[in-house]
Amino acid sequence: MARTHSRYRGGGRRGRWAVFSLATLAVLAGAAWIAPRVLVLTSLRDRPLEAALAGIDGSVSSANATWGWLGGIEYRDIILRDRAGRALVAAPRLVVDRGLMALALDPRDLGTVRLVGAEAVIDVRAGGSSLEDVLAPWLAAADAAAAPAFEVELVDATVELRDLVHGDAWRLTELCAAGRVTAAATPAAWTVAGRVRHAGVAAADAAPATAVPATAVSEERLDRATIAARATAALARDGGFSLSAPAGDPAVCTVTVATHRLPLGVSAVLATRFGGAWVADGLADVRLDATLAAAQTRLIGSVAAQDLAICRAATLDEVVTIARIEAPLDCAVEA
C-alpha cells in the first residue's frame, strides 16, 4: 500500500496557520492605523497637552483633536485655565505639522507649531500677572536641555491687558508672530507685529472667548514673506507696531523696532508690572535699531511723538507736556 511521504504531512495545517497569521497582522495593522482616531475621542486626547505644560498652576483642555501617523496633529478649542477654573487663554486651533510617526522617530523636533486665533485676558498687578501665576511653576521646572526645537507661528491673536492698579485695559489685536525656538528654549530669527489700542475701563468679569466660528479662523500659512507683509500692514494703521530680530551671533542681539502712532499710555501697564515711577502718554512714531551686546548697547534711528506727556505712575498726574517732538537717535551705552 502506498504511503504519503512524511515531508507532506501537515502541509495544509501550516498553510492555514500562515493565512491566519497574515490576517492577524492585517487586523493589528489596521487597528494601529485607526488607533489615533479612536484615542482622540477619549480623555487621552489631552494627555500630550498636559505633558507639554506639566507643572502649571492650572489646567489645559481641548474640545476635539485630529491625530495622524503621517499627517499633522491638530487640536481645536484649547482653553488654559487658572487654579480657580477661570479661562485665561482660548485658542480655536493649534496645529503641529509633524505626524505621530515623525515625532516618535525624533521627539526633539516638533517642526512647525501654529496657533491660530488665540485670545487671552491677563490681569496685571504690581510684580506679576495672572498668566505668570499659572506658568511660573512650569517655567521654573522646565529643563532647557530637554526642550524641543520648533518653528512657531502665531496668527490673528488678541491679548487684553487689564491694569488692576489703574483700573484700565489695553488690547493688542491682529497679533502675528513667526520665529524659531531652539533646543535652549530661546527664540531666534523672530518677528512680532500687531496693533495696540485703549480698551477703556477694565471689566471685572473679562474672559477670552471660548468658542470661535470656524469661518473666523485664518487658514493663511505664515512664512518670512507673509509675516513681513503683515508687519507692513500693521505699520500703516494707528497703533501699529513691529519688532524683529534676525538670526545671527547669539552673543549679539539686534532688534528692529517700528511703530505708527503708538499710544504711549500702554506704558502704564508696564509701570504697574515692573514698578516704574513714570509713565508716558501721547502717540509715538519710532524707527529704531538696537544692538545689545555684553560690552555695549547701541541705539540708532529716530523718535517722534505728539501730545507727549510724562506722568507720575501712582497718580497719572502730568509733570511734563510737549506738543510735538522729533529727534534722531545715535547713542551707545557701555556696560
Side-chain angles (χ1 to χ4, degrees):
M1 181 174 63
R3 294 185 300 176
T4 303
H5 198 280
S6 61
R7 70 177 178 174
Y8 294 111
R9 293 175 182 173
R13 188 180 300 113
R14 286 196 298 270
R16 287 192 297 273
W17 175 251
V19 172
F20 175 77
S21 299
L22 290 174
T24 301
L25 288 175
V27 170
L28 291 176
W33 184 258
I34 66 173
R37 301 182 182 180
V38 175
L39 290 176
V40 296
L41 302 177
T42 72
S43 60
L44 296 176
R45 176 186 65 241
D46 291 336
R47 292 291 177 84
L49 296 176
E50 294 168 352
L53 295 175
I56 62 171
D57 190 15
S59 64
V60 61
S61 63
S62 68
N64 54 68
T66 302
W67 295 353
W69 286 109
L70 300 179
I73 295 171
E74 181 173 330
Y75 278 90
R76 291 275 183 171
D77 298 327
I78 299 173
I79 301 178
L80 178 67
R81 301 180 186 274
D82 62 14
R83 183 194 303 178
R86 187 171 73 97
L88 298 182
V89 181
R93 188 164 178 243
L94 171 68
V95 180
V96 179
D97 71 351
R98 302 189 77 210
L100 295 174
M101 187 173 295
L103 292 175
L105 293 174
D106 186 4
R108 297 293 303 278
D109 184 4
L110 300 182
T112 299
V113 177
R114 190 166 188 258
L115 191 64
V116 183
E119 294 189 18
V121 175
I122 304 173
D123 292 340
V124 181
R125 64 179 188 278
S129 69
S130 56
L131 185 60
E132 290 174 85
D133 293 341
V134 172
L135 297 182
W138 173 69
L139 293 172
D143 183 358
F150 56 94
E151 295 282 341
V152 61
E153 296 179 354
L154 180 69
V155 185
D156 294 334
T158 300
V159 177
E160 181 165 321
L161 302 173
R162 300 172 65 239
D163 187 340
L164 301 184
V165 171
H166 299 107
D168 217 1
W170 293 84
R171 288 178 67 85
L172 281 63
T173 62
E174 302 171 35
L175 281 172
C176 61
R180 180 162 183 81
V181 177
T182 65
T186 56
W190 53 270
T191 298
V192 180
R195 298 178 66 199
V196 177
R197 66 178 180 85
H198 187 220
V201 177
D205 58 349
T210 55
V212 177
T215 55
V217 178
S218 172
E219 296 294 333
E220 177 189 2
R221 183 174 181 82
L222 292 183
D223 55 30
R224 297 308 174 202
T226 55
I227 191 69
R230 282 173 172 255
T232 301
L235 291 174
R237 304 172 66 184
D238 288 356
F241 69 90
S242 171
L243 296 90
S244 62
D249 185 353
V252 179
C253 178
T254 301
V255 180
T256 298
V257 181
T259 70
H260 176 65
R261 294 178 60 83
L262 183 76
L264 296 176
V266 71
S267 62
V269 179
L270 299 177
T272 292
R273 169 60 184 85
F274 298 104
W278 306 93
V279 301
D281 200 3
L283 301 173
D285 294 308
V286 176
R287 297 293 185 275
L288 190 65
D289 291 321
T291 303
L292 314 175
Q296 184 187 80
T297 297
R298 184 162 189 181
L299 305 175
I300 300 176
S302 63
V303 177
Q306 66 182 62
D307 300 324
L308 178 64
I310 305 300
C311 312
R312 291 186 174 89
T315 62
L316 298 183
D317 291 335
E318 294 181 352
V319 176
V320 177
T321 60
I322 301 174
R324 182 167 181 82
I325 182 172
E326 296 183 20
L329 193 62
D330 187 350
C331 67
V333 179
E334 302 293 336

